[in-house]
Amino acid sequence: MEKKWWHTSVVYQIYPRSFMDSNGDGIGDIPGIIGKLDYLKELGIDVIWLSPVFKSPNDDNGYDISDYRDIMDDFGTMADMEELLKQAKERGIVILMDLVANHTSDEHAWFVEARKSRDNEYRDYYIWRDPVNGHEPNGLRSTFSGSAWEWDEATGQYYLHLFSKKQPDLNWENPKVREEIWDLMNFWIDKGIGGFRMDMIELIGKLPDQEITANGPKLHEYIREMNEHTFGSRDLLTVGECWGADIEIAKQYSNPANHELSMIFQFEHIGLDQQPGKEKWDLKPLVLSDLKRTLSKWQTAFHGDGWNSLFWNNHDLPRAVSRFGDDKNYRKESAKMLATLLHGMAGTPYIYQGEELGMTNVRFGTIEEYRDIETLNMYHERLNAGYEESDIMKSIYAKGRDNARTPMQWDDSGNAGFTTGTPWIAVNPNYKLINAKSALEDPNSIFYYYKRLIALRRQYDILVYGDYELLAPEDEQIFAYRRNLDGESLIVACNFTDESSSFELPEDLPEEGREVLIENYEEEILHGVVKMKPYEARMYHWKQK
Ligand code: TEU
Ligand code: CA
């Protein structure tokens, strides 16, 4: 397999609205990010995925773009953005822009034109249909509740929006639309970005009349066309958001021979704690062996014909330590355990802002404190459908997107040092305990643990290119796996529970000459069967004789 720079990279995701406010208006911004680049440099990451910073009326916090070539006023100016790219580069960090091209804002000039009349030259940039028997053309649903079709009174047709009604879907079948997208991508490539994260890219080949949305017939043709007209000749990192991808589909995207993307985000492990066939809000406890089977399947899927992304959380998902660990009694231990498990695997790891501090989910007392459109729409829809309010809140506490969007906790001063004004969304009340300042002062912090894991990935090729074998697949407490590369071996063993357990080390692990690369408890380990404390994690490395 041809080696790529992003094989050894670790990506850090910034959700700008919640990262750092530099001017006291309560909203994070680009100058705020610039001021924290040294913090990221200290952590050791080399790529930033920047959630959207383009002009937007913020119906969906920037995922509704009204101008792809300009910066949202709340966040700063194009000059700020150029300064960010420059200062990041000086620190050896590249920036991925978040390409939201399945849809635009309804305030984008294209849509403003398109809705003027049926014969407007931009009409065909979007997806319009006549009513059927006086109703929506079909039963397609929006991810944010309700029908995906919105009636446009003035022109007497429906338009498609798979997200909010302020996010009309672009018509990718129109070659002019594709050319517009290639142009704006090249605009950003020319500014020196490191690549793109591609929002819901799996939807661009949709056939709305057949109710086919993800993985439509022309999807890969369009992505290859994109590759050819934009980043194909440059050495960029591209990662597609692909909820509906299985391994075969992932190979189509990420096999270098296909000239599509570097890698995708697949979400199979993210669906394991929801009731099958229902929505993410319908909760079910996670079974460890399911998680092991799922993650291991992806670990062993590729042999040079694809590449994994590794993540526990992002701006749409609950906080990793609250979801997969124990954010009460073993917060530090379990956060480090989860980090060990993920960073020991094959693929490119992604860290979501605050994960390196063990930031947790939030429980606001009332719905008024929530900001996320998906959460608010679901709340009202379920209330109308007769659900108990307390059950709805339980789902929000477990899965709501605002769990990940409370402000970054920088220190123990007011508003966690995020803003001197009133934050756009309340700070998690645990900021006095959990914040970057105290983490930087504590050599045993989660932050320094991540720093060591990142450094190990640079140091040990086996972490990047080693093969993968799951150990003890049926064990419901310990998640352990082994990796091998050119006569070297590595074992990662993690206790996923708050009870002690034991784990049998492989026989060929030598007593002498083995190293413990990282561990989240300080302790001497004997040979044979080792005791694993609650949420304990260890990584052993040795060379075969
Ligand atoms: O997310 C796609 C998406 O479908 C999510 O809304 C997801 O389904 C849900 O939050 C979790 O169940 C992308 C962006 O990451 C998200 O922030 C945007 O809201 C969405 O696309 C629309 O652009
Ligand atoms: Ca601000």
Side-chain angles (χ1 to χ4, degrees):
M1 179 180 31
E2 194 196 337
K3 294 195 172 173
K4 292 286 189 182
W5 63 268
W6 39 263
H7 288 163
T8 44
S9 288
V10 177
V11 184
Y12 187 92
Q13 184 192 353
I14 291 181
Y15 194 69
R17 207 170 186 77
S18 303
F19 193 64
M20 181 64 201
D21 175 24
S22 70
N23 62 353
D25 67 356
I27 299 173
D29 46 50
I30 294 172
I33 299 171
I34 295 173
K36 295 296 182 186
L37 284 172
D38 286 333
Y39 168 85
L40 299 176
K41 177 83 190 149
E42 171 71 20
L43 182 59
I45 58 97
D46 56 346
V47 181
I48 292 171
W49 154 20
L50 193 60
S51 274
V53 293
F54 314 97
K55 269 233 162 28
S56 165
N58 283 306
D59 192 50
D60 185 21
N61 288 355
Y63 284 89
D64 48 322
I65 297 171
S66 54
D67 187 347
Y68 293 89
R69 296 165 200 250
D70 205 350
I71 299 297
M72 190 192 299
D73 292 333
D74 288 341
F75 291 170
T77 62
M78 188 58 88
D80 293 330
M81 186 63 216
E82 282 162 359
E83 183 65 18
L84 172 60
L85 286 165
K86 176 169 156 270
Q87 292 223 21
K89 194 173 170 202
E90 284 166 12
R91 292 165 177 82
I93 297 173
V94 297
I95 296 188
L96 310 182
M97 295 301 268
D98 205 324
L99 180 76
V100 189
N102 172 67
H103 44 268
T104 68
S105 164
D106 65 339
E107 298 181 34
H108 193 288
W110 301 334
F111 193 75
V112 171
E113 282 299 312
R115 76 188 317 172
K116 279 185 179 163
S117 71
R118 288 196 191 196
D119 54 14
N120 187 282
E121 59 171 318
Y122 289 93
R123 185 74 171 179
D124 207 24
Y125 273 43
Y126 295 88
I127 299 169
W128 300 91
R129 294 290 182 271
D130 289 326
V132 173
N133 302 323
H135 292 285
E136 290 81 6
N138 58 37
L140 275 180
R141 309 260 311 156
S142 153
T143 304
F144 297 159
S145 303
S147 170
W149 297 101
E150 180 71 8
W151 179 245
D152 182 58
E153 190 61 51
T155 58
Q157 282 189 313
Y158 288 95
Y159 65 84
L160 181 73
H161 62 91
L162 292 174
F163 296 91
S164 101
K165 55 184 159 207
K166 285 182 66 63
Q167 292 166 300
D169 281 57
L170 283 166
N171 175 19
W172 276 73
E173 277 185 69
N174 181 347
K176 278 199 226 146
V177 166
R178 302 203 297 277
E179 268 168 45
E180 297 267 19
I181 304 295
W182 313 158
D183 279 356
L184 71 89
M185 289 175 73
N186 287 325
F187 170 86
W188 283 102
I189 291 172
D190 291 344
K191 286 201 183 287
I193 65 169
F196 295 99
R197 176 264 185 183
M198 299 182 187
D199 192 71
M200 289 313 265
I201 200 68
E202 65 176 1
L203 298 176
I204 61 173
K206 69 181 76 70
L207 295 177
D209 302 302
Q210 277 105 296
E211 302 199 22
I212 293 170
T213 53
N215 301 312
K218 290 210 169 157
L219 169 63
H220 294 278
E221 183 187 315
Y222 293 158
I223 294 179
R224 283 192 297 272
E225 190 181 318
M226 173 194 281
N227 178 302
E228 191 188 322
H229 288 87
T230 63
F231 53 81
S233 54
R234 328 272 185 117
D235 200 8
L236 299 186
L237 191 173
T238 51
V239 51
E241 187 197 18
C242 302
W243 287 77
D246 60 17
I247 284 167
E248 281 318 303
I249 296 174
K251 283 185 188 173
Q252 260 182 290
Y253 285 113
S254 68
N255 186 340
N258 290 357
H259 301 287
E260 294 193 15
L261 307 178
S262 312
M263 66 187 99
I264 62 159
F265 293 122
Q266 61 81 19
F267 293 84
E268 218 179 312
H269 59 299
I270 292 304
L272 299 175
D273 58 358
Q274 81 186 46
Q275 295 168 35
K278 294 215 177 159
E279 295 185 65
K280 73 174 192 179
W281 310 107
D282 302 303
L283 313 175
K284 157 184 169 302
L286 178 75
V287 177
L288 183 64
S289 52
D290 289 347
L291 182 69
K292 289 158 75 163
R293 198 176 324 111
T294 305
L295 290 177
S296 301
K297 185 177 84 183
W298 285 89
Q299 282 295 296
T300 52
F302 305 123
H303 303 278
D305 55 354
W307 190 257
N308 271 307
S309 66
L310 305 169
F311 67 98
W312 286 124
N313 47 198
N314 64 31
H315 64 294
D316 293 332
L317 301 173
R319 289 282 178 183
V321 69
S322 301
R323 185 179 200 174
F324 300 104
D326 178 342
D327 64 5
K328 302 202 172 53
N329 301 319
Y330 295 100
R331 190 183 61 85
K332 282 192 180 172
E333 292 82 358
S334 64
K336 291 176 184 175
M337 181 279 285
L338 291 167
T340 317
L341 191 95
L342 201 81
H343 287 251
M345 287 184 165
T348 299
Y350 289 72
I351 300 170
Y352 179 65
Q353 66 182 41
E355 179 188 330
E356 78 283 12
L357 305 174
M359 277 178 63
T360 70
N361 282 354
V362 73
R363 297 167 75 96
F364 293 135
T366 64
I367 193 69
E368 280 70 42
E369 289 177 83
Y370 286 88
R371 300 285 175 265
D372 170 35
I373 181 168
E374 181 189 51
T375 301
L376 298 175
N377 288 1
M378 180 281 288
Y379 177 88
H380 294 295
E381 186 177 67
R382 290 204 164 188
L383 215 52
N384 285 335
Y387 284 74
E388 288 290 333
E389 214 249 354
S390 59
D391 286 339
I392 302 178
M393 293 310 287
K394 218 180 272 170
S395 296
I396 295 175
Y397 294 154
K399 295 286 185 73
R401 303 199 296 183
D402 284 338
N403 282 311
R405 300 177 181 185
T406 60
M408 184 71 179
Q409 293 164 204
W410 292 109
D411 59 39
D412 59 4
S413 70
N415 291 318
F418 163 72
T419 181
T420 54
T422 308
W424 70 277
I425 185 170
V427 171
N428 191 316
N430 63 21
Y431 70 90
K432 294 219 187 260
L433 182 73
I434 305 169
N435 61 66
K437 182 166 174 278
S438 65
L440 290 169
E441 287 163 1
D442 171 12
N444 285 319
S445 66
I446 303 167
F447 179 94
Y448 288 119
Y449 196 90
Y450 269 89
K451 181 177 167 147
R452 281 159 60 204
L453 283 169
I454 296 167
L456 285 172
R457 181 161 288 262
R458 305 269 153 68
Q459 202 184 334
Y460 289 88
D461 260 6
I462 187 172
L463 284 168
V464 183
Y465 295 112
D467 66 11
Y468 175 98
E469 180 197 351
L470 178 65
L471 305 174
E474 303 305 328
D475 192 316
E476 293 292 356
Q477 278 190 284
I478 306 289
F479 192 154
Y481 58 85
R482 174 177 185 145
R483 304 191 59 194
N484 302 294
L485 181 73
D486 302 335
E488 284 180 50
S489 294
L490 185 126
I491 298 271
V492 175
C494 295
N495 184 352
F496 251 76
T497 72
D498 60 3
E499 280 165 28
S500 294
S501 185
S502 58
F503 173 68
E504 194 169 350
L505 293 170
E507 278 176 5
D508 64 331
L509 175 67
E511 259 177 276
E512 267 171 46
R514 71 185 188 199
E515 316 167 76
V516 177
L517 293 190
I518 196 161
E519 60 192 329
N520 66 347
Y521 283 83
E522 308 289 318
E523 216 178 283
E524 186 62 27
I525 281 295
L526 304 167
H527 204 57
V529 176
V530 296
K531 282 261 172 265
M532 299 286 292
K533 294 203 172 74
Y535 294 104
E536 182 159 7
R538 295 182 169 273
M539 192 185 282
Y540 297 94
H541 173 258
W542 73 99
K543 288 201 169 83
Q544 305 289 349
K545 294 260 158 61

